[in-house]
Amino acid sequence: MNNKKSLPLVIGLGELLWDCFEDERRPGGAPANVAFQANQLGCLGTVVTRVGQDDLGTELLEFLKEQGLSVDHVQIDTSFPTGTVTVKYSDANDPQYTIHEHVAWDHLEFNDDLAALMPQSQAVCFGTLAQREAGSREAIHQCLSATNENCLVVYDVNLRQHYYERSWIERSLTAAKMVKLNQDEAGKLGEVLGLSADGLEQFANHVQGEYGLEAVCITRGAEGCLIYAGGQEFNIPGSPVEVADAVGAGDAFTAALISRRLLGWDWERAALFANRIGGLVASQAGAMPVLKQEFEQISQEIQNS
């Protein structure tokens, strides 16, 4: 575990930004959250993104370096600022996001560095939001095309505000091996794709069949998760937690599922683990709490059960 080169490389491809709350700001961005948590979960988490040449960008890079993540593949933009998101709550389980436009991660470029990096990855997680600008959308899909055939490509749908179109979603589903979304997004996605699915199982089966996915993972908050893979349904109940804020909990779930699948865990145990990790992060403030020891303890408990 100490030899970083032997660890599976998990890339978070897309946005890195500041989540700005009423009283403070914290590092965030769904793909960056996944890479951060994967790094705590025994993988080599790496963020592929773009920040501004400004104090906010410098601070984000320093934070990632302090937590042991490489920033070698974070591009610096001299024209656009580092991304920010304003987060407000109606309650702790329901954060409301205002995602500011014309920021650095909207202008990710595919270059020689990324052409060399992507084939080395064991897993890549990407979403919809970072595809809102045509240039970054093409760069993301060039990155995905450069991965090797065994790479676990995970599309975390992560629909935000109005930043999605059917064509982007279908292209992303086609590029992925696994899709992860929450229950609300499943309903919204069904509408966008024109599905008349009667329930989550029919929705998952249709999406799997239509887009050649190996797995569909649907999170349901306190109710746990559903995973459809290998012709089976895994219904994993939730574990009760006291929610501090839900920001980043789904990303932690995704990172945990990826990390344990890369370690060869079966779907049921990997999902049990992912549920526990997502719940633990929901009980903490912010999207990137430092919880490596707690993660290892949960991993041991599930392995020994």
Side-chain angles (χ1 to χ4, degrees), residues 166-187:
R166 178 172 179 163
S167 61
W168 312 351
I169 291 170
E170 291 198 299
R171 186 179 183 187
S172 299
L173 289 168
T174 301
K177 290 184 179 177
M178 182 171 98
V179 64
K180 178 261 176 188
L181 65 170
N182 63 38
Q183 192 164 345
D184 289 341
E185 287 168 338

Side-chain angles (χ1 to χ4, degrees), residues 1-291:
M1 280 286 186
N2 292 325
N3 181 2
K4 284 197 168 186
K5 288 188 177 177
S6 68
L7 301 179
L9 174 61
V10 177
I11 292 174
L13 173 62
E15 64 271 20
L16 171 66
L17 47 82
W18 285 104
D19 286 323
C20 300
F21 301 81
E22 284 188 7
D23 55 348
E24 63 178 327
R25 53 181 164 79
R26 306 184 193 124
N33 294 340
V34 171
F36 176 85
Q37 300 297 4
N39 207 62
Q40 294 197 92
L41 287 158
C43 300
L44 185 61
T46 299
V47 184
V48 170
T49 188
R50 194 172 177 100
V51 298
Q53 193 175 43
D54 50 30
D55 290 344
L56 289 180
T58 300
E59 198 175 333
L60 278 174
L61 298 186
E62 288 302 319
F63 172 79
L64 293 178
K65 284 191 280 189
E66 285 171 8
Q67 301 307 323
L69 278 81
S70 166
V71 297
D72 293 347
H73 310 289
V74 178
Q75 300 171 5
I76 307 298
D77 196 302
T78 57
S79 301
F80 292 91
T82 297
T84 56
V85 172
T86 302
V87 186
K88 293 186 177 178
Y89 288 96
S90 52
D91 66 69
N93 291 293
D94 187 27
Q96 305 297 312
Y97 303 95
T98 302
I99 303 161
H100 303 291
E101 298 183 355
H102 310 299
V103 295
W105 54 259
D106 281 319
H107 300 277
L108 182 71
E109 296 177 359
F110 185 73
N111 55 22
D112 291 344
D113 171 63
L114 296 184
L117 174 71
M118 299 309 298
Q120 301 175 46
S121 59
Q122 276 74 53
V124 178
C125 183
F126 73 107
T128 312
L129 177 59
Q131 300 185 58
R132 68 183 179 178
E133 291 285 344
S136 59
R137 185 162 64 248
E138 289 309 312
I140 284 170
H141 283 279
Q142 284 179 287
C143 285
L144 297 177
S145 295
T147 59
N148 66 72
E149 62 180 13
N150 296 318
C151 182
L152 177 58
V153 177
V154 180
Y155 175 36
D156 184 353
V157 175
N158 208 26
L159 299 179
R160 293 282 182 251
Q161 294 172 214
H162 59 282
Y163 299 120
Y164 58 89
E165 290 185 10
R166 178 172 179 163
S167 61
W168 312 351
I169 291 170
E170 291 198 299
R171 186 179 183 187
S172 299
L173 289 168
T174 301
K177 290 184 179 177
M178 182 171 98
V179 64
K180 178 261 176 188
L181 65 170
N182 63 38
Q183 192 164 345
D184 289 341
E185 287 168 338
K188 198 178 290 186
L189 202 63
E191 292 176 15
V192 171
L193 298 176
L195 306 182
S196 56
D198 182 17
L200 293 175
E201 182 176 5
Q202 192 175 351
F203 165 82
N205 289 338
H206 180 95
V207 170
Q208 267 188 294
E210 185 71 20
Y211 300 101
L213 293 156
E214 295 176 6
V216 175
C217 310
I218 302 172
T219 56
R220 300 179 296 166
E223 295 177 31
C225 68
L226 292 167
I227 293 186
Y228 300 89
Q232 294 181 277
E233 175 189 279
F234 302 94
N235 186 341
I236 311 297
S239 303
V241 296
E242 187 172 333
V243 175
D245 72 58
V247 178
D251 305 324
F253 173 96
T254 304
L257 194 63
I258 288 170
S259 72
R260 268 39 197 177
R261 287 297 293 168
L262 292 179
L263 288 175
W265 287 28
D266 61 51
W267 281 109
E268 187 167 21
R269 284 200 308 158
L272 281 166
F273 179 70
N275 252 8
R276 292 277 301 277
I277 296 302
L280 177 58
V281 169
S283 74
Q284 308 290 311
M288 297 187 186
V290 178
L291 296 166

